[in-house]
Amino acid sequence: MTKQKESFSDKVFRFSIPHVLVLILLIILFCCGLTYILPAGLYEIDPQTGLVVPNSFHWVENSPISPWRALVEVTNGVASQGVIFALLFIMGGLIYVVIESGAINNVINYSVYKLQDKSITVLVPAIVVLMSAIGALAGQDSLVTFVLVGLLLVKKLRLDKIAALSIFYLSYITGQAAGPTVAIILMAQETAGLAPISGLGARLVVWAALTLLCVIYTTRYCLKISKDPSRSILGCVEEPDGNDELNKSVPVLGTKDIVTALCMLVPFAFYAYGAAAYAWGFPNLIAFAMVAVIVVGIVNRTNPNELAVTFLKGASAMGGICLMIGFAKVVGIVLTDGKILHTIAYAAVTAIGGLGDAFTASGMFLFTTAINLLIPSGPAKVPMLIPLFVPVADVLGITRQVMCLAFQLGDGLTNFVTPVSAVLAAALSMSGVDLRQWWRYVLPYTGITFIIAIVALTILQSIGWS
């Protein structure tokens, strides 16, 4: 690895940020404190639909959550994420099996050899668009395991680990934030009484604008540090392994390598189709991933025992990540059991209703963003916020399509920033990048996405998009 001297700007920007797990614990304690300070309140819940009943908010007796009780809830937080854990374990094992086969190395070597000096300007944008498209069609937490592939790529291209995160993590999260078939928008549209996947054209335009931004932002950074490694936020770039330097022969890409590499993507393609057409859930994706592992073993003629050991090694690497997901879930549990989540929602919806029709959609976007910093789970927010947003939007003449898009963008465009996001914690853990370094890279990007979101919502609202 080529190390560079820390620049003056690096020293100025440096400040102490705890580990993500420590931050999650601090946020849990902060939320516990809020349950003692904020008045408790609840909306009625429709027993038939499980949705919040608008205009039913009422004050109730305070139910403060002590730090001890919050720690007790860690067990429930971990237990509630069983399907997500299974998905991460299986996908972690699949990605590791594919990497250990050598197919990814061969694909990258062949691509870099063919592109020569255009490797960054062609390969990086192509991967960003691909990952954004996967995120838009089938975005979910297990895609974070592709960061492992990114770490191989940046070694070949002499880039840094932040580039790996931007190419393989930031891209799919960005695509997911405006994806037309991801679970969050389908749930929001159904709750708002809209046809699933309706408004597809406008959503694709917003997705394309955000994806283009991700392509430009990521490629620009990669070119900058490729020309001058000292400009890396990490202060260094990755170097190819010694074996790569010794091997000067022309790379060969065989059918076996192509089939093996495709085994990482095909499960997501099947899942994206099935989720839209047949409402398939994560268990189907898990099953496809297991089949893909078997196919990789057969294609590479791997001994079944060796395949099992390799798979378990990749799956076990997800253990710490799953634990952080369980801890992050406790934040939402504290706010809910402390009966202040509805209080916060009531105050915000009241404020949004007073903004006037010119700013209502932007207000919904910004409020969802604020809530997302504490509760990144979109499905957890849909049954509470959408029923509250609907009457406000109807009274002020905001179309429900605009309202749903405001909710979706607010839910998605801070997932690569909030320390409570277990997926971000997973990406940082796999790459070895700390939160301070990542924030330095991604905060300007986040600001630009906010501008795009507000402009898009304002335009769509002005033309009455429905």
Side-chain angles (χ1 to χ4, degrees):
M1 185 181 288
T2 304
K3 295 192 175 179
Q4 302 291 339
K5 247 179 144 181
E6 185 178 52
S7 67
F8 176 73
S9 62
D10 291 330
K11 294 177 182 177
V12 170
F13 193 87
R14 182 173 297 281
F15 57 93
S16 179
I17 292 183
H19 186 276
V20 172
L21 182 57
V22 177
L23 277 174
I24 292 173
L25 289 172
L26 290 175
I27 292 172
I28 291 173
L29 290 176
F30 173 73
C31 291
C32 286
L34 288 180
T35 64
Y36 286 89
I37 298 170
L38 296 180
L42 290 174
Y43 282 96
E44 298 293 337
I45 305 296
D46 187 329
Q48 300 297 322
T49 64
L51 302 178
V52 165
V53 178
N55 302 318
S56 65
F57 182 81
H58 57 281
W59 303 108
V60 297
E61 184 180 352
N62 270 37
S63 182
I65 306 295
S66 68
W68 172 253
R69 183 177 166 188
L71 290 177
V72 172
E73 290 294 343
V74 169
T75 301
N76 292 330
V78 172
S80 67
Q81 300 299 295
V83 175
I84 298 298
F85 292 169
L87 188 58
L88 284 173
F89 284 136
I90 300 301
M91 292 307 303
L94 169 61
I95 297 294
Y96 196 76
V97 164
V98 172
I99 289 174
E100 286 296 296
S101 73
I104 297 300
N105 260 320
N106 293 339
V107 170
I108 293 173
N109 284 337
Y110 184 80
S111 300
V112 171
Y113 172 77
K114 284 293 185 181
L115 294 171
Q116 297 296 335
D117 58 341
K118 296 180 181 178
S119 295
I120 293 177
T121 56
V122 176
L123 192 58
V124 168
I127 295 174
V128 169
V129 172
L130 174 63
M131 292 302 298
S132 178
I134 294 174
L137 296 174
Q140 33 74 34
D141 294 347
S142 66
L143 284 170
V144 73
T145 52
F146 277 85
V147 169
L148 299 174
V149 179
L151 295 176
L152 292 178
L153 177 66
V154 295
K155 281 188 175 184
K156 306 292 183 182
L157 299 181
R158 289 182 169 85
L159 303 173
D160 65 11
K161 293 177 178 179
I162 284 182
L165 286 175
S166 192
I167 296 169
F168 283 90
Y169 164 73
L170 185 62
S171 55
Y172 95 76
I173 291 287
T174 298
Q176 185 176 333
T181 61
V182 291
I184 182 67
I185 189 58
L186 298 179
M187 289 178 64
Q189 287 180 320
E190 181 181 5
T191 305
L194 299 172
I197 320 182
S198 57
L200 180 63
R203 294 181 194 284
L204 288 177
V205 172
V206 176
W207 169 81
L210 291 171
T211 301
L212 178 61
L213 169 65
C214 194
V215 166
I216 294 172
Y217 196 85
T218 301
T219 306
R220 179 175 175 272
Y221 179 75
C222 291
L223 288 172
K224 179 176 69 175
I225 64 173
S226 177
K227 294 174 182 176
D228 184 0
S230 67
R231 300 183 71 182
S232 164
I233 290 174
L234 302 182
C236 61
V237 296
E238 301 295 299
E239 294 286 356
D241 294 331
N243 292 336
D244 291 338
E245 291 298 314
L246 294 174
N247 184 11
K248 301 296 184 180
S249 60
V250 176
V252 177
L253 186 64
T255 303
K256 179 183 71 174
D257 298 319
I258 296 173
V259 172
T260 302
L262 284 175
C263 282
M264 293 191 306
L265 303 176
V266 170
F268 291 102
F270 281 132
Y271 169 73
Y273 171 76
Y278 305 108
W280 284 350
F282 287 162
N284 297 87
L285 177 57
I286 292 172
F288 284 130
M290 287 301 301
V291 172
V293 171
I294 296 171
V295 171
V296 170
I298 294 173
V299 169
N300 290 275
R301 298 181 181 178
T302 307
N303 179 283
N305 289 339
E306 292 179 5
L307 182 66
V309 170
T310 304
F311 175 79
L312 289 176
K313 189 173 181 180
S316 64
M318 299 291 112
I321 293 166
C322 289
L323 184 60
M324 282 192 284
I325 291 175
F327 273 93
K329 184 70 175 178
V330 176
V331 174
I333 293 176
V334 169
L335 293 176
T336 302
D337 289 356
K339 300 178 182 177
I340 62 171
L341 186 58
H342 286 192
T343 298
I344 296 170
Y346 171 72
V349 170
T350 302
I352 291 170
L355 292 176
D357 57 0
F359 302 102
T360 300
S362 296
M364 291 175 176
F365 161 69
L366 293 174
F367 172 64
T368 307
T369 293
I371 287 292
N372 196 62
L373 292 173
L374 294 176
I375 308 176
S377 172
K381 293 192 291 290
V382 169
M384 180 184 69
L385 294 186
I386 295 299
L388 298 180
F389 285 168
V390 166
V392 174
D394 289 349
V395 168
L396 296 176
I398 307 303
T399 71
R400 295 190 179 188
Q401 286 288 13
V402 172
M403 178 200 71
C404 287
L405 181 61
F407 174 83
Q408 182 185 13
L409 293 173
D411 174 71
L413 293 181
T414 48
N415 283 335
F416 39 72
V417 174
T418 174
V420 182
S421 169
V423 182
L424 173 58
L428 296 177
S429 177
M430 282 187 282
S431 65
V433 174
D434 69 42
L435 187 59
R436 176 190 62 84
Q437 294 165 329
W438 177 244
W439 274 353
R440 181 177 174 185
Y441 174 78
V442 84
L443 284 178
Y445 177 84
T446 306
I448 300 171
T449 63
F450 274 34
I451 294 172
I452 292 175
I454 291 174
V455 169
L457 290 170
T458 302
I459 293 173
L460 291 172
Q461 181 178 325
S462 67
I463 64 176
W465 174 53
S466 60

